[in-house]
Amino acid sequence: MIKYVLWDIDGTLLNFHLAEENAIRACFDQYGLGDLSDDRLGVYRKINNKYWKALERGEITRIEVLEGRFREFFEKYGYNTEIVSDFNISFQENLGKTYVFNDKAYETLSKLSGKYKQYAATNGSAIAQEGKLKGAGLDTIFEDVFISEKIGFEKPSKEFFDYIFDTVGSREKSEYVIIGDSLTSDIRGGRNAGIKTIWFNPDRLEKDKDNDFDYEVDSLEQVLDIL
């Protein structure tokens, strides 16, 4: 029987694309880099995604993700690469200031509250996640928050989930479920850990034969019917 619900944050409960766009545009203003076109924002997102996927595969470190993505992006368009480190810190801070719930996210969390113990399980940076969780009021809903940067392991690694099991105090895998939008991070991680998985797929993307899941939903309120 499910007792513990692990929630991904960015892209699942919160609208990450909106927060990301607001944060990077604010940083462009802060550092006098001019206007950021939609085309260049799209290029940055592709670069960013490439770095995070490499981190999930264990090919690079977290700092290589956070700074490397901006360094590559800056080099491509001739921006000053000497500000990359400071730019990244400002970006994390700005990410933590924008929090918009995805449709039915808060309502679903509220309805599950008291019936299950709910936790955040995220690969996002500590600065950004702690800011948005507090600002959005999620810190009052979650029993605990598991941030990979603090744990020292990333989703989908087994070690990330072992840390959660030890902290929660139960290694009974049948008592856990993870809900997330990433097949390669949330779902693969849950499968690696041996727990139930719910893939949040609001855009109805094609299934990936390499990343199986137990349930699929395109609206978070459907989680209520599953649990």
Side-chain angles (χ1 to χ4, degrees), residues 192-203:
N192 288 345
I195 66 175
K196 294 290 186 182
T197 57
I198 300 176
W199 182 33
F200 176 49
N201 183 22
D203 296 326

Side-chain angles (χ1 to χ4, degrees), residues 47-62:
I47 293 173
N48 181 53
N49 184 62
K50 177 182 69 174
Y51 275 81
W52 281 105
K53 295 301 183 186
L55 179 68
E56 291 173 8
R57 295 190 298 267
E59 297 172 355
I60 58 177
T61 65
R62 171 171 288 273

Side-chain angles (χ1 to χ4, degrees), residues 8-205:
D8 172 58
I9 301 302
D10 294 323
T12 302
L13 291 176
L14 300 180
N15 185 326
F16 177 72
H17 276 264
L18 178 60
E20 177 187 55
E21 180 175 351
N22 287 347
I24 195 169
R25 291 193 189 281
C27 287
F28 261 63
D29 288 341
Q30 179 180 344
Y31 289 90
L33 299 180
D35 293 331
L36 176 64
S37 68
D38 290 342
D39 287 343
R40 290 192 179 187
L41 176 61
V43 171
Y44 163 75
R45 283 176 166 160
K46 289 180 181 179
I47 293 173
N48 181 53
N49 184 62
K50 177 182 69 174
Y51 275 81
W52 281 105
K53 295 301 183 186
L55 179 68
E56 291 173 8
R57 295 190 298 267
E59 297 172 355
I60 58 177
T61 65
R62 171 171 288 273
I63 193 63
E64 288 174 325
V65 173
L66 298 181
E67 294 189 3
R69 58 186 176 173
F70 287 125
R71 184 166 288 107
E72 180 174 334
F73 180 63
F74 280 22
E75 288 175 349
K76 181 177 180 64
Y77 292 110
Y79 300 122
N80 179 13
T81 57
E82 292 182 0
I83 67 170
V84 161
S85 180
D86 290 338
F87 187 95
N88 170 62
I89 293 173
S90 297
F91 178 71
Q92 303 306 322
E93 293 171 345
N94 280 304
L95 273 180
K97 297 175 183 176
T98 303
Y99 29 87
V100 177
F101 282 100
N102 281 328
D103 190 40
K104 303 299 182 181
Y106 191 82
E107 293 88 341
T108 300
L109 288 168
S110 298
K111 289 178 180 178
L112 293 176
S113 184
K115 299 178 181 178
Y116 303 89
K117 291 188 175 181
Q118 301 183 84
Y119 301 84
T122 173
N123 276 354
S125 73
I127 294 175
Q129 300 300 66
E130 289 173 349
K132 66 180 67 173
L133 289 173
K134 183 175 182 180
L138 291 173
D139 58 336
T140 64
I141 293 178
F142 291 132
E143 300 285 332
D144 206 343
V145 175
F146 299 107
I147 301 175
S148 60
E149 185 177 9
K150 288 192 168 185
I151 292 174
F153 299 101
E154 317 285 338
K155 292 181 294 184
S157 72
K158 183 176 179 294
E159 291 86 353
F160 178 89
F161 290 89
D162 284 340
Y163 181 93
I164 293 177
F165 299 151
D166 289 340
T167 303
V168 171
S170 171
R171 281 191 164 270
E172 184 57 54
K173 307 296 181 62
S174 63
E175 296 178 344
Y176 292 86
V177 63
I178 185 168
I179 305 166
D181 68 307
S182 172
L183 286 172
T184 55
S185 175
D186 308 310
I187 303 307
R188 182 178 296 169
R191 300 292 288 183
N192 288 345
I195 66 175
K196 294 290 186 182
T197 57
I198 300 176
W199 182 33
F200 176 49
N201 183 22
D203 296 326
R204 299 180 181 179
L205 303 174

